[in-house]
Amino acid sequence: MATDTLIYGAGPAGCIAATWLAQAGRPVALLHKPPRTPLCRIESLGPDILPLINKIGLHKQWLNDLALPIPGTISRWSSDKIEYHDAVMSPHGHAWSVHRQHFDSKLLDYAKRNGVTIVDKKIPSQRQLIATGSDLLPNGIVHDKLVALTRNYTHLPLADKRLRIEAVPQGWWYAIPARNNTFGLGFVTDRQMLLNQSPQQLWNQALPDSLALLLIPSSVKASPIRSYPVRCAISKLQSNRIGNARASYDPLTGRGTAEAVKNALTTVSLQTQDRSNYQLDLDHQYSDYLTKRHHLYLAAERRFQTKFWSRRIATLTTS
């Protein structure tokens, strides 16, 4: 078996890029090995995900069937003051929350229906694209290494479906409402915090400092705590890298999955002579992201004046 393009990784960027190529009449295969530990986390998708899935023939109703609209955010960041941001005021519309495993599975099924071949080992191909974020770090410039601890709660109906974000001395918490009266709670902090303690110990240590925006009854059922790497990095071997393997952002900027899909679609649709110009655009976008990240983190550093936030500011200032 051989193919024109082989894509490593069947996350959203890999699946959507492969589907686009297949719809354009290009033979394409996805190298996909189901993870030993499924992605059980709940994630938010920015409003710009909708025009991106439109490019492969998926529409708002498809997203409505598996995602929950997020009408805005509630946050406490630079001070104890609670701030409200309504999606009605955004020119891009509202965000969405999804169970990541379910979202990925639906995209993979759609890719198959559009003629994408799924393989579990490398096959001969004229072009190979890497769409797995784990392949970014060996050949990338890394600005930060964080970790997200997440757990899902069930049977907790929330009348207010807005995303909640709260800065604390050692990182930040977020709560994402999802379908069927579930929500995902996450804590993002320095990866080094896990060197001498378990995710459960770190979670219990950080929990009392937060959650002013969300009170969780002790009777609510909760899943085990999972940990996931959160990278702030850009690859320097970009010619065959797409999605998070090309540039990886922390979730505070709201780029995440949509940004990974956008750069994947751009890469596969460009002619060879246009790719160098796109690289300049990508470098500019990443630099703009670092600037926005610096201002956001600086506000938290001024509030808490802890090592966690001062280390982030120092890293961004010297990069």
Side-chain angles (χ1 to χ4, degrees):
M1 178 188 294
T3 188
D4 180 73
T5 302
L6 175 64
I7 298 178
Y8 292 75
C15 282
I16 292 177
T19 302
W20 188 91
L21 287 170
Q23 291 174 344
R26 301 277 295 277
V28 58
L30 268 176
L31 198 160
H32 171 57
K33 295 182 179 179
R36 295 179 181 177
T37 303
L39 287 174
C40 297
R41 65 181 182 262
I42 294 170
E43 291 188 5
S44 63
L45 305 176
D48 45 352
I49 192 65
L50 188 56
L52 294 171
I53 65 172
N54 287 166
K55 293 180 181 293
I56 59 168
L58 293 174
H59 301 288
K60 189 174 183 178
Q61 186 57 51
W62 180 87
L63 200 54
N64 275 331
D65 289 342
L66 59 91
L68 178 75
I70 301 295
T73 62
I74 307 173
S75 65
R76 283 205 323 171
W77 193 264
S78 59
S79 70
D80 289 337
K81 179 183 178 181
I82 298 176
E83 298 184 359
Y84 302 88
H85 302 276
D86 198 327
V88 173
M89 304 303 294
S90 169
H92 306 294
H94 61 74
W96 310 79
S97 75
V98 295
H99 290 267
R100 179 60 188 272
Q101 182 181 9
H102 187 46
F103 182 68
D104 287 7
S105 175
K106 290 293 186 181
L107 286 175
L108 185 61
D109 288 342
Y110 188 72
K112 292 177 184 177
R113 295 199 303 271
N114 279 271
V116 176
T117 302
I118 311 300
V119 297
D120 60 5
K121 60 183 179 181
K122 183 178 178 180
I123 61 173
S125 61
Q126 296 181 22
R127 183 186 185 192
Q128 297 180 10
L129 298 174
I130 298 173
T132 59
S134 59
D135 286 315
L136 171 67
L137 294 181
N139 302 296
I141 297 176
V142 182
H143 292 94
D144 206 352
K145 294 182 181 180
L146 301 168
V147 65
L149 306 181
T150 68
R151 88 183 321 174
N152 297 340
Y153 292 82
T154 58
H155 308 300
L156 180 61
L158 296 174
D160 193 328
K161 304 299 184 184
R162 284 178 289 190
L163 172 70
R164 295 155 172 83
I165 304 172
E166 187 166 352
V168 294
Q170 299 303 324
W172 72 89
W173 289 85
Y174 63 86
I176 308 174
R179 294 167 65 94
N180 301 320
N181 292 330
T182 64
F183 76 90
L185 184 63
F187 176 54
V188 180
T189 188
D190 197 309
R191 201 177 303 182
Q192 292 183 349
M193 297 285 286
L194 285 178
L195 293 179
N196 299 312
Q197 56 188 328
S198 69
Q200 181 70 61
Q201 290 172 323
L202 179 55
W203 182 279
N204 292 340
Q205 173 186 321
L207 198 58
D209 290 335
S210 65
L211 300 183
L213 302 183
L214 180 65
L215 299 177
I216 305 173
S218 58
S219 58
V220 173
K221 294 182 179 179
S223 68
I225 296 170
R226 302 284 182 87
S227 63
Y228 302 94
V230 177
R231 302 182 183 93
C232 168
I234 186 166
S235 175
K236 302 314 290 182
L237 290 178
Q238 293 97 343
S239 60
N240 70 331
R241 279 164 166 71
I242 62 175
N244 286 334
R246 190 160 193 172
S248 184
Y249 306 86
D250 73 42
L252 271 181
T253 61
R255 303 198 182 205
T257 298
E259 191 67 27
V261 170
K262 179 182 176 181
N263 85 49
L265 282 173
T266 303
T267 302
V268 298
S269 62
L270 286 176
Q271 300 296 321
T272 302
Q273 62 269 23
D274 297 325
R275 290 175 191 158
S276 59
N277 291 332
Y278 174 60
Q279 183 54 50
L280 294 176
D281 291 340
L282 185 65
D283 288 342
H284 178 76
Q285 292 170 21
Y286 189 78
S287 177
D288 179 62
Y289 150 72
L290 290 179
T291 299
K292 292 178 180 178
R293 186 181 193 262
H294 176 81
H295 291 309
L296 195 60
Y297 280 32
L298 184 60
E301 196 275 336
R302 288 171 174 168
R303 177 185 176 191
F304 296 111
Q305 298 182 357
T306 56
K307 289 184 179 179
F308 173 85
W309 292 108
S310 61
R311 186 182 300 123
R312 314 266 90 70
I313 294 302
T315 301
L316 289 174
T317 302
T318 58
S319 61

